[in-house]
Amino acid sequence: MRYAELALALALAAALLAAGPARALPASTTDLWDVSQGTVVTGSTPIHFSSDARQMFGAVITRIESANTVFGDFEAAGSLDFIEWRTAAPVTLRSFNLSAVHDAAPLRNRYYRGMDRFSLFAFDGTDFAEIFSISFSGDLYDPLAANHPCKCQFVLEANVAAVTSDRFRAEFVQTGPPSDASGVRIHELDGYGTFFGNQPIPGTQVPEPSSLALFGLAVVALARGRSGSRRPRAFMPAGRRGSP
């Protein structure tokens, strides 16, 4: 193991001890986008050496960020990261689940591996068409600590207007200024062919996250056990991280 990797592993271990046991995030190993269903990543912006692009779709590949996908560091605030993937055959998407984790409070906040905006797209035969978008405000994902005392975990379940495609894209806008821990961290991104029963079934209009009313209808933060063996992490690094 290289020195940078060892230092990062030790920092993450210290963070886990400091943060205490995390509640499990709802992640699936059998959803439409899971690698076990034949999904392949076809492109992305640079990924941090500690993780792998496929890990947000259920793969467990790297040793350090083994349950997450982390985008590259040292980019300017407001930089856009993206990932594109293809399913083995066209699927009809009706809902999705996003789990994200920034570095932990109180020493760190959304400026360390957090995002300002998430957008989801489906290929319509000509281009990627936006089917969902949401913006974030404040310094923490979870200021009321609904998911974990670290206030750093965000879980979004949302229905979308049913769309059939075999190509999808997600975009993440980085919050923090350039640093060795500025790249966005995503724990899981799952797609489903059924609607969530606790959410309204939308029409064709993309939700406007600036509207508090629509935000309240579209978002539910849940902390429940997942069916697989992977576990989410709560992070509060104690030292500098290696660069990609």
Side-chain angles (χ1 to χ4, degrees):
M1 181 181 292
R2 294 180 300 176
Y3 175 79
E5 293 181 352
L6 178 60
L8 180 54
L10 292 174
L12 292 178
L16 291 171
L17 290 174
R23 296 179 183 179
L25 299 180
S28 170
T29 58
T30 59
D31 64 280
L32 299 176
W33 294 338
D34 199 84
V35 292
S36 65
Q37 307 304 306
T39 293
V40 296
V41 174
T42 57
S44 73
T45 45
I47 302 297
H48 195 275
F49 73 84
S50 67
S51 74
D52 189 282
R54 294 165 288 181
Q55 289 179 174
M56 72 166 70
F57 302 113
V60 179
I61 297 169
T62 62
R63 294 168 296 190
I64 301 174
E65 294 267 7
S66 61
N68 309 294
T69 294
V70 180
F71 290 92
D73 293 331
F74 300 104
E75 299 295 332
S79 295
L80 186 145
D81 286 310
F82 78 89
I83 189 165
E84 295 178 0
W85 63 100
R86 184 188 292 269
T87 54
V91 298
T92 299
L93 179 75
R94 294 181 174 87
S95 61
F96 71 90
N97 173 76
L98 169 69
S99 300
V101 186
H102 64 65
D103 283 356
L107 299 183
R108 289 194 168 184
N109 55 23
R110 197 161 51 87
Y111 287 89
Y112 300 90
R113 306 223 175 281
M115 59 180 162
D116 280 344
R117 187 175 181 88
F118 163 74
S119 300
L120 182 64
F121 303 79
F123 193 74
D124 62 9
T126 303
D127 201 355
F128 284 102
E130 184 178 276
I131 59 175
F132 187 90
S133 188
I134 185 171
S135 295
F136 301 85
S137 62
D139 292 335
L140 300 168
Y141 280 160
D142 180 27
L144 298 180
N147 295 314
H148 188 273
C150 72
K151 304 180 180 181
C152 63
Q153 298 181 359
F154 178 78
V155 181
L156 168 67
E157 291 182 347
N159 291 329
V160 297
V163 58
T164 300
S165 183
D166 62 350
R167 294 173 60 187
F168 298 88
R169 175 184 172 101
E171 294 180 353
F172 312 90
V173 177
Q174 175 183 308
T175 300
S179 76
D180 58 359
S182 57
V184 176
R185 179 191 287 115
I186 303 300
H187 171 62
E188 187 85 5
L189 184 56
D190 299 329
Y192 299 97
T194 56
F195 292 114
F196 290 124
N198 57 355
Q199 306 259 336
I201 298 175
T204 58
Q205 183 177 2
V206 175
E208 286 293 335
S210 59
S211 165
L212 292 179
L214 288 180
F215 180 85
L217 290 173
V219 179
V220 57
L222 300 175
R224 67 177 189 236
R226 61 168 300 172
S227 58
S229 60
R230 295 168 59 219
R231 294 296 183 196
R233 318 291 178 78
F235 296 91
M236 186 170 62
R240 290 181 55 83
R241 294 187 168 200
S243 59

